[in-house]
Amino acid sequence: MFKQIATLIRGRAHEAEEAFGDRHALPILAQQIRDAARGVESARRAVALAIAQNRLEKENAERLSARIDDLEARAIAALEKGREDLATEAAASIARLETELQNARQVQAEFTDGIDRLRQAVRQSETRLAALRRGERLAEARDRTRRLSRDVPGNDLATLSDAEATLARLETRQREAELTAEALVELEDRPDPTALAEKLAAAGCGRPLITSAEDVLERLRAKANPTL
C-alpha cells in the first residue's frame, strides 16, 4: 500500500511538473535560448583565443627557424676559419633550438587540428541556435493566435461577419454618392436647350420666343385697318 502511494505521489509530481512546463514553455524556451546563445558566444571566443595562440606559436617557430639558420651560417664560417670550439658551441645551441622548434611545430599542428574542430562545432551550434530562434518566433505567433481564439467569445467572432457586411454596405453607399456627385457635375456642365434657344432668339436668329408689345401693337393695327 505504501509503495503504491509513493508511486502515485511521484506520478502526480511528474504530471504537475509537465503541466508547469507546458504553461510556462515559452519563457522557459526563451531563457534556454539565451543560455545557449551565451554558450555559443563563449565557444566563439574560445576559438578566437585558440587562433591567437596558434599564431603566436607560428611566430615563435619562425623566430626559432631564423635563429637556427643564422647560427648554422655562423658555425660554417667558424669551421672555415678553423674555430672548432666556436662551431661546437654553435652546434649545441642549434640542437637546443631545433628541439624547441620541433615542439613549437607540434603544438602548432595540435592547435590547427583543434581549431578546425572548434570552428566546425561553433558553426553547427550557430546553425542550431538560429533554428531555435526561428522556432521560438513561430511558437510565439502560434501561442498568440491560440490565446486570441480562446479569449474571444464566439459571439464576438460572429460580429466579424456583421462588421464585414456593414463595411460592404458603407462602401456601396459611398460609391453611390460619388457617382451621383459626378452625374450632377456632368448635368451642370451640359448647356440648357431652352436657355440656348432664348439666347439665339435674342440675337435675332430665328423666330422670337417672347412676344413683344411692339409685335402686339402691329397686329392690332392690322386688324383695325384691314384695307391697309
Side-chain angles (χ1 to χ4, degrees):
M1 185 67 179
F2 177 77
K3 183 177 181 181
Q4 292 177 345
I5 294 175
T7 302
L8 177 60
I9 292 174
R10 290 198 305 271
R12 291 293 175 83
H14 179 71
E15 290 178 356
E17 182 180 354
E18 287 189 342
F20 179 83
D22 291 340
R23 286 195 304 271
H24 304 283
L26 280 177
I28 291 174
L29 175 62
Q31 184 58 45
Q32 289 172 338
I33 289 176
R34 285 192 291 269
D35 293 340
R38 284 193 293 269
V40 171
E41 181 62 25
S42 297
R44 188 184 294 113
R45 291 180 180 178
V47 172
L49 179 60
I51 291 173
Q53 292 174 344
N54 187 40
R55 289 175 179 172
L56 288 175
E57 291 296 334
K58 182 179 180 180
E59 292 175 358
N60 184 40
E62 291 174 352
R63 285 194 297 270
L64 290 173
S65 180
R67 291 177 61 186
I68 290 171
D69 292 341
D70 180 67
L71 284 175
E72 284 184 349
R74 295 179 186 279
I76 292 172
L79 288 173
E80 291 175 348
K81 292 183 177 182
R83 295 295 305 270
E84 189 76 20
D85 55 334
L86 292 177
T88 300
E89 186 177 352
S93 296
I94 291 171
R96 180 177 54 82
L97 291 175
E98 285 181 347
T99 300
E100 292 182 12
L101 177 60
Q102 183 178 359
N103 292 333
R105 286 176 176 172
Q106 183 178 356
V107 171
Q108 184 183 357
E110 292 176 356
F111 263 120
T112 301
D113 293 339
I115 288 170
D116 291 340
R117 290 193 299 271
L118 285 173
R119 278 177 171 170
Q120 184 178 1
V122 169
R123 283 195 295 267
Q124 291 175 351
S125 298
E126 289 174 342
T127 300
R128 294 171 63 187
L129 180 61
L132 280 171
R133 283 172 171 165
R134 290 193 298 269
E136 180 189 17
R137 291 193 294 270
L138 181 58
E140 287 178 349
R142 287 175 176 170
D143 184 69
R144 289 174 183 174
T145 303
R146 180 185 58 80
R147 285 189 280 109
L148 177 63
S149 301
R150 181 194 62 193
D151 297 339
V152 177
N155 292 335
D156 292 342
L157 290 176
T159 58
L160 290 175
S161 299
D162 297 337
E164 290 171 350
T166 301
L167 177 60
R169 290 194 301 271
L170 178 61
E171 290 176 343
T172 300
R173 290 176 183 174
Q174 290 176 342
R175 182 56 179 164
E176 181 181 355
E178 291 175 357
L179 294 176
T180 301
E182 292 176 359
L184 289 175
V185 172
E186 292 178 359
L187 290 175
E188 291 177 357
D189 291 340
R190 293 176 181 175
D192 186 0
T194 301
L196 181 59
E198 291 177 354
K199 184 176 180 181
L200 290 171
C205 301
R207 181 180 59 83
L209 297 179
I210 300 175
T211 302
S212 65
E214 185 67 25
D215 293 337
V216 173
L217 183 60
E218 288 294 330
R219 187 175 70 248
L220 294 175
R221 286 174 180 170
K223 289 182 179 180
N225 301 296
T227 58
L228 294 179

